[in-house]
Amino acid sequence: MKLSVYRIAANQCRTTCILDVKTENPAVKTFTFKDKECAKAEPGQFLMLWIPKVDEIPLSILDARKNGEVAVAVKKVGEATEALHSKKVGEVIGIRGPFGNSFTIKNCRILMVSGGTGIAPLLFLTKKLASKTTKLVFVMGAKTKEELMFIDELDELCSEGNVVATTEDGSYGVKGLATTPLETLLTKERFDMICTCGPEQMMRKVFDLAEKHGIALEASLERLMRCAIGLCGSCVVGKYRVCRDGPVFNDVRLREVKAEFGKSKRDFDGRKIPV
Ligand SMILES: Cc1cc2nc3c(=O)[nH]c(=O)nc-3n(C[C@H](O)[C@H](O)[C@H](O)COP(=O)(O)OP(=O)(O)OC[C@H]3O[C@@H](n4cnc5c(N)ncnc54)[C@H](O)[C@@H]3O)c2cc1C
Ligand code: FES
């Protein structure tokens, strides 16, 4: 009974005003606003953000604070995200959520691997875990130095030398993809768990490496989402709906959807297309 009342509250769209807008890189801005429901979110959960007269889009929660403030980091990729990027402090947006499950909070040796805006839920997770884990190494990937985000925050949270940045053009850190330093890292050091979020092909590579080294893994998946409450089926992967059963999937569930994970997804018409 309690759970269904909670779900109804989460699914009702609340309007709120933008409190702060911060430019993280040329394509990404962080938006902060107040929302009582989403301020209770756990790392990995997402919300649906409505841009009046434009669209409603799913976004990972970057931060949820005790004072009711919530933050999301948004990359400009199309109509809705472009409209959101043009919004200023004081303008109105709508919020539903939080939705979905979250990463497991565990005191163990953890390796985080992020690509692009996939850093958002993992930074939130790192904030919760940093003081609790025995070991935390964060590998983040971006195309260029300009696109790397939240390095200072991560440097403050992780011990020295435990933040590894990679760039595809070699303009900062290790040259290559986020997966480039992993083989060496996994051979040299011991981890109990890998948490990953980013482009699905990257996460598939991380999953294959975790399988090879016998390490537990949790990955946050992205699919097209409309309802966010398990009704429309647009986010389906195998027998799962990413909005209700995920977005965080552990290695056991990922093995069940191995044929699709990192390979295919559904488009707006429900057709299977490559990821
Ligand atoms: C659980 C989840 C968490 C996400 N977290 C973040 C985040 O923290 N930051 C961030 O910048 N983006 C995040 N996204 C992706 C974000 O939802 C899309 O970039 C956004 O919906 C694109 O809208 P648009 O109108 O600007 O682009 P469009 O013109 O609609 O499309 C541009 C691209 O975005 C993809 N896309 C479009 N609509 C959706 C949708 N409803 N769901 C997923 N992908 C879509 C399309 O496949 C296309 O490649 C997340 C998606 C999911 C499912
Ligand atoms: S978004 Fe509708 S079922 Fe998941």
Side-chain angles (χ1 to χ4, degrees), residues 10-80:
N11 194 34
Q12 270 165 357
C13 186
R14 291 91 53 183
T15 53
T16 185
C17 286
I18 296 171
L19 291 178
D20 188 55
V21 183
K22 187 174 171 227
T23 301
E24 305 292 354
N25 72 29
V28 178
K29 284 185 180 178
T30 293
F31 296 85
T32 306
F33 48 86
K34 278 214 167 175
D35 184 70
K36 251 203 276 176
E37 295 297 328
C38 287
K40 298 176 209 154
E42 292 295 327
Q45 288 194 290
F46 68 99
L47 54 80
M48 294 297 286
L49 191 149
W50 172 63
I51 304 116
K53 297 188 184 151
V54 185
D55 204 353
E56 191 189 36
I57 55 169
L59 294 167
S60 298
I61 294 170
L62 167 71
D63 204 4
R65 302 172 194 138
K66 283 199 179 105
N67 65 0
E69 286 180 7
V70 178
V72 288
V74 187
K75 183 172 182 180
K76 189 162 62 169
V77 293
E79 193 193 3

Side-chain angles (χ1 to χ4, degrees), residues 108-154:
C108 60
R109 293 165 297 187
I110 297 184
L111 174 63
M112 309 260 190
V113 187
S114 77
T117 51
I119 197 168
L122 295 186
L123 176 59
F124 186 15
L125 180 62
T126 301
K127 281 183 185 165
K128 291 247 170 174
L129 281 176
S131 57
K132 294 185 189 139
T133 49
T134 31
K135 175 174 178 167
L136 201 158
V137 175
F138 203 113
V139 178
M140 65 165 102
K143 286 202 169 77
T144 62
K145 180 184 178 186
E146 217 182 19
E147 288 182 29
L148 284 167
M149 299 181 285
F150 307 120
I151 290 199
D152 293 344
E153 284 92 333
L154 283 170

Side-chain angles (χ1 to χ4, degrees), residues 224-235 241-244:
L224 287 183
M225 283 184 190
R226 287 191 174 101
C227 70
I229 51 170
L231 296 176
C232 72
S234 60
C235 65
R241 289 158 299 175
V242 174
C243 68
R244 277 294 277 266

Side-chain angles (χ1 to χ4, degrees), residues 259-274:
E260 285 180 51
F261 177 45
K263 310 263 181 214
S264 62
K265 61 178 182 180
R266 305 271 166 180
D267 68 7
F268 283 105
D269 301 317
R271 278 185 303 247
K272 259 193 188 180
I273 53 164

